[in-house]
Amino acid sequence: MHPQLFRYAQGPYGGHEVLLGASFDLLIWFVLAAMAVIIFHAVYKSG
Amino acid sequence: MSDPHTSGKAVPRHDLIDRLYHWVMAAAVFILMGTAFLPKFGIKFEWLTAHWISGIVLGVIVVLHIFRAIIWQNFMAMVPDGKDIVGAWRTLVGAFADTRAPAKPGKYNVAQKFYHLGIAIVILTLMGTGGAMLFKIDTPFWKRNPYVLTDEQWGLIYTVHGFAAMGIVAMIMIHIYFALRPDEWHLTRTMFRGWMTRKEYESHHDTLRWVPDTEK
Protein backbone atom coordinates (compact mmCIF):
# COMPACT_ATOMS: atom_id res chain seq x y z
CA MET A 1 0.00 0.00 0.00
CA HIS A 2 1.42 3.40 -0.99
CA PRO A 3 0.25 6.24 1.21
CA GLN A 4 -0.66 9.39 -0.65
CA LEU A 5 1.65 12.34 0.01
CA PHE A 6 -0.84 15.02 -1.02
CA ARG A 7 -4.56 15.68 -1.23
CA TYR A 8 -6.02 16.91 -4.51
CA ALA A 9 -9.43 18.06 -5.71
CA GLN A 10 -10.87 18.40 -9.18
CA GLY A 11 -10.51 21.96 -10.37
CA PRO A 12 -13.56 24.10 -11.15
CA TYR A 13 -15.35 23.44 -14.45
CA GLY A 14 -13.67 20.02 -14.71
CA GLY A 15 -10.20 21.51 -15.03
CA HIS A 16 -6.93 20.06 -13.86
CA GLU A 17 -6.50 18.76 -10.31
CA VAL A 18 -5.76 21.38 -7.67
CA LEU A 19 -3.42 20.70 -4.74
CA LEU A 20 -5.35 20.88 -1.45
CA GLY A 21 -2.61 20.04 1.05
CA ALA A 22 -0.60 17.28 2.70
CA SER A 23 -2.24 13.91 3.14
CA PHE A 24 -2.97 13.25 6.79
CA ASP A 25 -2.58 9.53 6.10
CA LEU A 26 1.10 10.31 6.65
CA LEU A 27 0.55 11.16 10.31
CA ILE A 28 1.06 7.54 11.34
CA TRP A 29 4.52 7.59 9.70
CA PHE A 30 5.54 10.67 11.69
CA VAL A 31 4.30 8.94 14.87
CA LEU A 32 6.18 5.74 13.99
CA ALA A 33 9.36 7.73 13.28
CA ALA A 34 9.13 9.39 16.70
CA MET A 35 8.53 6.02 18.34
CA ALA A 36 11.57 4.60 16.54
CA VAL A 37 13.76 7.42 17.92
CA ILE A 38 12.36 6.90 21.42
CA ILE A 39 12.81 3.11 21.38
CA PHE A 40 16.34 3.36 19.93
CA HIS A 41 17.37 5.86 22.60
CA ALA A 42 15.75 3.89 25.43
CA VAL A 43 17.45 0.66 24.33
CA TYR A 44 20.81 2.42 23.89
CA LYS A 45 20.59 4.02 27.35
CA SER A 46 19.58 0.78 29.04
CA GLY A 47 22.53 -1.10 27.50
CA MET B 1 15.51 21.43 56.57
CA SER B 2 17.13 24.59 55.20
CA ASP B 3 15.59 26.60 52.38
CA PRO B 4 17.71 26.01 49.24
CA HIS B 5 17.07 29.60 48.12
CA THR B 6 18.64 31.09 51.23
CA SER B 7 21.26 28.43 51.91
CA GLY B 8 22.95 28.95 48.53
CA LYS B 9 22.02 25.47 47.33
CA ALA B 10 19.46 26.63 44.71
CA VAL B 11 20.79 27.53 41.26
CA PRO B 12 18.23 29.53 39.26
CA ARG B 13 17.65 28.22 35.70
CA HIS B 14 14.30 29.47 34.39
CA ASP B 15 12.65 32.74 35.45
CA LEU B 16 8.92 32.66 36.18
CA ILE B 17 8.13 34.49 32.92
CA ASP B 18 10.04 31.84 30.92
CA ARG B 19 8.25 29.00 32.69
CA LEU B 20 4.90 30.68 32.04
CA TYR B 21 5.90 31.07 28.39
CA HIS B 22 6.76 27.37 28.17
CA TRP B 23 3.50 26.16 29.71
CA VAL B 24 1.25 28.59 27.81
CA MET B 25 3.01 27.50 24.63
CA ALA B 26 2.49 23.85 25.59
CA ALA B 27 -1.23 24.44 26.19
CA ALA B 28 -1.59 26.30 22.89
CA VAL B 29 0.27 23.59 20.95
CA PHE B 30 -1.85 20.81 22.50
CA ILE B 31 -5.06 22.68 21.66
CA LEU B 32 -3.75 23.26 18.13
CA MET B 33 -2.86 19.59 17.68
CA GLY B 34 -6.16 18.40 19.15
CA THR B 35 -8.27 20.73 17.05
CA ALA B 36 -6.24 19.87 13.95
CA PHE B 37 -6.15 16.08 14.18
CA LEU B 38 -9.10 14.85 16.30
CA PRO B 39 -11.59 15.70 13.51
CA LYS B 40 -9.42 13.65 11.13
CA PHE B 41 -10.07 10.63 13.38
CA GLY B 42 -13.82 11.10 13.25
CA ILE B 43 -14.22 13.14 16.45
CA LYS B 44 -16.39 15.93 15.09
CA PHE B 45 -16.72 19.29 16.84
CA GLU B 46 -16.49 22.97 16.03
CA TRP B 47 -12.70 23.03 15.98
CA LEU B 48 -11.90 26.10 13.88
CA THR B 49 -12.50 28.84 16.48
CA ALA B 50 -10.33 27.16 19.14
CA HIS B 51 -7.69 26.51 16.47
CA TRP B 52 -7.27 30.04 15.19
CA ILE B 53 -7.48 31.64 18.65
CA SER B 54 -4.82 29.22 19.99
CA GLY B 55 -2.73 29.94 16.92
CA ILE B 56 -2.84 33.67 17.58
CA VAL B 57 -1.98 33.14 21.27
CA LEU B 58 0.97 30.98 20.21
CA GLY B 59 2.09 33.58 17.67
CA VAL B 60 1.97 36.44 20.18
CA ILE B 61 3.93 34.60 22.89
CA VAL B 62 6.51 33.35 20.40
CA VAL B 63 7.14 36.92 19.18
CA LEU B 64 7.47 38.08 22.82
CA HIS B 65 9.84 35.17 23.51
CA ILE B 66 12.02 36.13 20.53
CA PHE B 67 12.26 39.75 21.74
CA ARG B 68 13.03 38.62 25.28
CA ALA B 69 15.67 36.13 24.10
CA ILE B 70 17.41 38.72 21.94
CA ILE B 71 17.23 41.72 24.28
CA TRP B 72 17.20 40.41 27.85
CA GLN B 73 18.53 36.87 27.75
CA ASN B 74 21.79 35.28 26.68
CA PHE B 75 20.72 34.43 23.14
CA MET B 76 23.98 32.54 22.48
CA ALA B 77 23.26 30.11 25.34
CA MET B 78 20.87 28.32 22.96
CA VAL B 79 23.08 28.49 19.84
CA PRO B 80 25.22 25.38 19.11
CA ASP B 81 28.94 26.27 19.21
CA GLY B 82 32.21 24.50 18.48
CA LYS B 83 32.43 22.92 21.94
CA ASP B 84 28.95 21.46 21.48
CA ILE B 85 29.90 19.91 18.15
CA VAL B 86 33.14 18.46 19.56
CA GLY B 87 31.24 17.21 22.62
CA ALA B 88 28.56 15.60 20.48
CA TRP B 89 31.23 13.91 18.36
CA ARG B 90 32.99 12.58 21.48
CA THR B 91 29.70 11.27 22.79
CA LEU B 92 28.98 9.55 19.49
CA VAL B 93 32.46 8.05 19.18
CA GLY B 94 32.58 7.25 22.88
CA ALA B 95 29.41 5.23 22.54
CA PHE B 96 31.38 2.74 20.46
CA ALA B 97 35.07 3.08 21.34
CA ASP B 98 36.26 6.04 23.39
CA THR B 99 36.11 5.65 27.15
CA ARG B 100 36.67 9.32 27.98
CA ALA B 101 33.68 11.02 29.54
CA PRO B 102 32.12 13.62 27.21
CA ALA B 103 32.54 17.26 28.18
CA LYS B 104 29.79 18.78 30.30
CA PRO B 105 27.47 21.26 28.59
CA GLY B 106 26.72 24.84 29.51
CA LYS B 107 23.14 25.80 30.38
CA TYR B 108 21.77 23.70 27.49
CA ASN B 109 23.27 20.55 26.00
CA VAL B 110 23.76 20.07 22.27
CA ALA B 111 20.62 17.94 21.85
CA GLN B 112 18.51 20.64 23.50
CA LYS B 113 20.05 23.30 21.25
CA PHE B 114 19.36 21.38 18.05
CA TYR B 115 15.89 20.44 19.25
CA HIS B 116 15.18 24.11 19.95
CA LEU B 117 16.46 25.04 16.49
CA GLY B 118 14.24 22.40 14.88
CA ILE B 119 11.12 23.25 16.85
CA ALA B 120 11.70 26.97 16.17
CA ILE B 121 11.79 26.31 12.42
CA VAL B 122 8.64 24.17 12.59
CA ILE B 123 6.69 26.62 14.77
CA LEU B 124 7.70 29.66 12.70
CA THR B 125 6.63 27.74 9.58
CA LEU B 126 3.27 26.94 11.20
CA MET B 127 2.88 30.56 12.28
CA GLY B 128 3.65 31.88 8.80
CA THR B 129 1.35 29.50 6.94
CA GLY B 130 -1.31 29.59 9.66
CA GLY B 131 -1.16 33.38 9.66
CA ALA B 132 -1.85 33.39 5.92
CA MET B 133 -4.77 31.00 6.44
CA LEU B 134 -6.45 33.61 8.63
CA PHE B 135 -7.39 35.31 5.36
CA LYS B 136 -9.67 32.36 4.67
CA ILE B 137 -11.89 32.61 7.74
CA ASP B 138 -14.44 35.08 9.12
CA THR B 139 -13.76 36.26 12.67
CA PRO B 140 -15.23 39.08 14.80
CA PHE B 141 -12.21 41.15 13.74
CA TRP B 142 -11.99 40.65 9.98
CA LYS B 143 -13.84 39.19 6.99
CA ARG B 144 -12.43 36.41 4.90
CA ASN B 145 -10.71 37.24 1.65
CA PRO B 146 -9.37 34.06 0.06
CA TYR B 147 -8.68 35.86 -3.22
CA VAL B 148 -5.38 37.30 -2.01
CA LEU B 149 -3.79 34.07 -3.31
CA THR B 150 -4.49 31.64 -6.15
CA ASP B 151 -5.76 28.10 -5.56
CA GLU B 152 -2.30 26.75 -6.34
CA GLN B 153 -0.69 29.10 -3.81
CA TRP B 154 -3.22 28.14 -1.15
CA GLY B 155 -2.53 24.48 -1.91
CA LEU B 156 1.16 25.05 -1.30
CA ILE B 157 0.50 26.86 1.99
CA TYR B 158 -1.83 24.10 3.22
CA THR B 159 0.72 21.48 2.20
CA VAL B 160 3.56 23.12 4.14
CA HIS B 161 1.25 23.70 7.13
CA GLY B 162 0.16 20.06 7.08
CA PHE B 163 3.66 18.62 6.94
CA ALA B 164 4.86 20.98 9.69
CA ALA B 165 1.83 20.03 11.83
CA MET B 166 2.58 16.32 11.48
CA GLY B 167 6.24 17.03 12.16
CA ILE B 168 5.46 18.81 15.40
CA VAL B 169 3.49 15.78 16.63
CA ALA B 170 6.66 13.69 16.27
CA MET B 171 8.80 16.38 17.90
CA ILE B 172 6.44 16.76 20.88
CA MET B 173 6.44 12.99 21.42
CA ILE B 174 10.25 12.99 21.57
CA HIS B 175 10.26 16.06 23.84
CA ILE B 176 7.88 14.43 26.34
CA TYR B 177 9.90 11.20 26.30
CA PHE B 178 13.07 13.06 27.28
CA ALA B 179 11.23 15.18 29.85
CA LEU B 180 9.94 12.04 31.57
CA ARG B 181 13.25 10.16 31.60
CA PRO B 182 14.58 9.80 35.19
CA ASP B 183 18.07 10.93 34.10
CA GLU B 184 16.59 14.16 32.67
CA TRP B 185 14.18 14.80 35.52
CA HIS B 186 16.49 17.33 37.16
CA LEU B 187 16.00 19.51 34.06
CA THR B 188 12.26 18.92 33.78
CA ARG B 189 11.84 19.91 37.42
CA THR B 190 13.42 23.29 36.71
CA MET B 191 10.60 24.03 34.28
CA PHE B 192 8.20 23.74 37.24
CA ARG B 193 10.08 25.37 40.09
CA GLY B 194 12.72 27.37 38.21
CA TRP B 195 15.86 26.13 39.94
CA MET B 196 18.10 23.11 40.42
CA THR B 197 20.25 22.11 43.36
CA ARG B 198 23.90 23.11 43.44
CA LYS B 199 24.81 19.42 43.35
CA GLU B 200 22.78 18.94 40.14
CA TYR B 201 24.37 22.07 38.66
CA GLU B 202 27.91 20.99 39.42
CA SER B 203 27.45 17.37 38.36
CA HIS B 204 25.61 18.02 35.07
CA HIS B 205 26.99 21.36 33.81
CA ASP B 206 30.29 23.03 32.99
CA THR B 207 30.29 25.78 35.60
CA LEU B 208 32.55 27.93 33.40
CA ARG B 209 30.23 27.73 30.37
CA TRP B 210 27.09 28.44 32.38
CA VAL B 211 27.38 30.99 35.17
CA PRO B 212 23.91 31.51 36.69
CA ASP B 213 22.70 35.09 37.10
CA THR B 214 23.08 35.03 40.89
CA GLU B 215 26.77 34.26 40.55
CA LYS B 216 27.72 36.96 38.02
Side-chain angles (χ1 to χ4, degrees):
Chain A
M1 189 179 114
H2 299 286
Q4 296 290 317
L5 291 179
F6 306 102
R7 292 176 290 120
Y8 294 95
Q10 197 67 41
Y13 318 114
H16 64 283
E17 284 190 325
V18 176
L19 177 65
L20 289 181
S23 169
F24 292 111
D25 293 344
L26 297 172
L27 178 61
I28 185 66
W29 294 102
F30 282 85
V31 171
L32 290 173
M35 288 176 66
V37 170
I38 290 167
I39 291 169
F40 176 81
H41 185 268
V43 169
Y44 166 68
K45 279 290 189 179
S46 66
Chain B
M1 203 169 136
S2 62
D3 181 352
H5 288 281
T6 55
S7 65
K9 291 179 181 173
V11 176
R13 182 170 166 89
H14 299 301
D15 289 344
L16 177 60
I17 191 169
D18 299 313
R19 283 176 276 149
L20 284 173
Y21 164 73
H22 178 269
W23 293 114
V24 172
M25 180 176 68
V29 167
F30 273 102
I31 293 171
L32 285 160
M33 290 196 303
T35 50
F37 291 113
L38 289 178
K40 312 293 180 201
F41 294 108
I43 301 172
K44 302 295 182 189
F45 59 97
E46 205 292 287
W47 61 271
L48 182 58
T49 304
H51 195 80
W52 73 257
I53 290 174
S54 305
I56 287 179
V57 169
L58 178 66
V60 168
I61 63 170
V62 165
V63 169
L64 293 175
H65 171 68
I66 291 170
F67 275 108
R68 175 166 163 73
I70 292 173
I71 298 171
W72 289 287
Q73 293 185 300
N74 179 11
F75 182 80
M76 293 307 292
M78 193 53 99
V79 177
D81 58 21
K83 285 184 178 177
D84 291 319
I85 304 299
V86 170
W89 175 252
R90 279 190 186 161
T91 302
L92 187 66
V93 172
F96 301 102
D98 199 336
T99 55
R100 286 176 299 176
K104 291 178 184 175
K107 185 173 183 180
Y108 302 104
N109 64 40
V110 66
Q112 289 172 313
K113 290 180 179 182
F114 277 108
Y115 181 88
H116 181 268
L117 181 63
I119 202 91
I121 292 170
V122 170
I123 284 189
L124 290 173
T125 301
L126 287 165
M127 282 170 53
T129 51
M133 289 174 180
L134 292 174
F135 280 109
K136 294 198 81 173
I137 59 171
D138 284 327
T139 75
F141 309 107
W142 62 83
K143 292 290 177 191
R144 70 193 295 267
N145 179 17
Y147 306 107
V148 294
L149 296 174
T150 65
D151 287 345
E152 287 77 12
Q153 289 168 330
W154 280 122
L156 193 60
I157 284 175
Y158 275 75
T159 299
V160 173
H161 195 79
F163 277 113
M166 290 185 283
I168 206 169
V169 171
M171 296 188 81
I172 297 294
M173 287 174 64
I174 292 169
H175 180 63
I176 292 173
Y177 159 73
F178 278 102
L180 294 178
R181 279 188 63 85
D183 55 349
E184 304 285 343
W185 184 240
H186 66 284
L187 295 175
T188 306
R189 208 166 44 224
T190 64
M191 197 48 83
F192 291 100
R193 65 186 186 186
W195 53 272
M196 58 174 47
T197 64
R198 177 152 295 280
K199 186 179 175 186
E200 288 168 338
Y201 167 62
E202 290 175 350
S203 59
H204 292 284
H205 297 276
D206 182 335
T207 55
L208 295 176
R209 295 180 70 192
W210 174 32
V211 181
D213 290 338
T214 53
E215 310 202 356
K216 289 176 182 169

